[in-house]
Amino acid sequence: MQLSKKEFSKNVLELDLEKKTQELCQNLKEAVVQKLKRRGLVVAVSGGIDSACCVALAVRALGPKRVFGLLLPEKDSSHESVTYGRKLCEKLGIAHTLVDIAPILEAAGCYAQRDAAVRSVFPEFHAEMPWKIAMHGDRLGTEQLNIFYVVVEDKQGQTHKIRLTPQAYLQIVAATNFKQRTRKMLEYYHADRLVYAVVGTPNRLEYDQGFFVKLGDGAADIKPIASLYKTQTYAMARHLGVIDEILNREPTTDTYSMEQSQEDFYFSVHYSKLDLILWAKNHEVSPQEAAHVLGYSEAQIQRAYEDIEQKRRSTAYLHAPPLLLEPVSELEPFSI
């Protein structure tokens, strides 16, 4: 779809926040009641900005009595995530419950399989050592390939960075994905129990670039903020009265025992710049013009544009519904 041309500046992401809130809330209410025919919404509240914005929107659209919050920590979750998530639920006045999913993950082999993969490249690794996986630094400044490393802090406090083999990387990711899929299983349990719909929480940057787990955090009945850039999500959350602790928190995966930023693991630069780069690409702003506005070189913006396209290609599978080998035309009139 051809987007209307708009002059590119650092202010292009600014919104009339109350107008946008009213639009999203009206659309959310219509989707839940008229299309999905559910009574309310279930939101897994992670303590991060995206789920916070979604649960606040849900309350604004449907009222607190029709929103149910879930706090779903495991042994690698930060203490702040639960504290902030609970505080937000209490402020919004919604019913909520906490379920520690660590025992489920333990039984499924999440931790054992993941730790075995780390030990395959770093034999001295023990489960109590803080660790994460990461790529190299700011990828706008380099033409390096996307190579993953495991970063481990040993008992003496020394940090080790070891390149992962493809097999070890894939096993770590596959095992770690148990976390998102287990959370979604519990979300749908409560949705079925309450006749509610499940909210997916990706913002536009995550949705566009495939930063989610298929049938994990990517599974949902409705995704209220998939049209909002990350910068806009922060602004919307502030407008909706999300607590300061979450508003002031930098995005984190909250997946590994060592703190991990989203740039460590997936994105090329900080969301505050990548939002603008993505907007520029979506609106056909030339690399030269974008570079001039953002203070990068034309080559750096071109690499960012190429990285966006590469992620769209490689993650198309995550967006795809199940494929049918032959059509089932009788169900087409009933599609939502």
Side-chain angles (χ1 to χ4, degrees), residues 54-282:
C54 285
V55 73
L57 273 172
V59 169
R60 175 80 177 262
L62 299 175
K65 292 184 179 180
R66 295 169 65 188
V67 180
F68 186 75
L70 278 172
L71 309 173
L72 301 170
E74 45 90 25
K75 68 180 187 179
D76 292 324
S77 301
S78 71
H79 175 72
E80 288 81 7
S81 295
V82 172
T83 301
Y84 299 163
R86 181 183 284 116
K87 184 175 179 180
L88 178 62
C89 289
E90 291 172 350
K91 179 180 180 181
L92 294 172
I94 65 171
H96 58 281
T97 192
L98 184 149
V99 180
D100 182 355
I101 66 171
I104 302 174
L105 298 175
E106 196 81 56
C110 168
Y111 302 122
Q113 296 297 329
R114 183 199 65 181
D115 293 352
V118 177
R119 278 193 294 272
S120 73
V121 297
F122 187 62
E124 299 85 357
F125 176 74
H126 295 286
E128 67 273 11
M129 293 179 178
W131 72 284
K132 64 181 178 180
I133 60 175
M135 287 189 282
H136 43 79
D138 186 342
R139 281 168 285 146
L140 287 191
T142 177
E143 295 189 53
Q144 290 179 330
L145 296 174
N146 292 339
I147 297 171
F148 282 92
Y149 299 84
V150 62
V151 181
V152 180
E153 183 181 307
D154 65 23
K155 294 179 180 179
Q156 289 72 44
Q158 184 177 355
T159 300
H160 305 265
K161 183 178 180 181
I162 306 98
R163 181 170 173 174
L164 285 166
T165 63
Q167 295 81 4
Y169 167 74
L170 290 172
Q171 185 166 323
I172 290 170
V173 171
T176 302
N177 286 350
F178 273 119
K179 298 183 180 186
Q180 288 83 358
R181 290 178 175 136
T182 298
R183 291 186 174 107
K184 197 58 62 171
M185 174 181 70
L186 292 170
E187 289 172 51
Y188 271 100
Y189 162 73
H190 287 283
D192 292 346
R193 177 178 66 83
L194 297 166
V195 197
Y196 280 12
V198 169
V199 170
T201 63
N203 59 68
R204 187 180 194 128
L205 189 58
E206 294 172 349
Y207 185 73
D208 183 298
Q209 295 290 278
F211 190 54
F212 56 85
V213 175
K214 188 162 190 172
L215 300 182
D217 53 337
D221 298 311
I222 190 164
K223 298 181 178 181
I225 62 169
S227 63
L228 296 183
Y229 292 86
K230 188 84 170 184
T231 307
Q232 295 172 331
T233 301
Y234 270 98
M236 179 70 69
R238 185 177 300 278
H239 180 71
L240 290 166
V242 167
I243 61 174
D244 288 341
E245 291 91 335
I246 293 176
L247 292 171
N248 296 330
R249 193 182 193 193
E250 277 290 305
T252 175
T253 62
D254 203 26
T255 298
Y256 299 93
S257 55
M258 183 182 288
E259 186 173 342
Q260 181 196 53
S261 72
Q262 292 183 342
E263 297 89 75
D264 280 341
F265 179 65
Y266 197 74
F267 293 119
S268 53
V269 289
H270 192 265
Y271 75 85
S272 58
K273 292 291 182 68
L274 192 53
D275 268 355
L276 290 167
I277 294 170
L278 180 61
W279 190 98
K281 178 171 175 52
N282 288 344

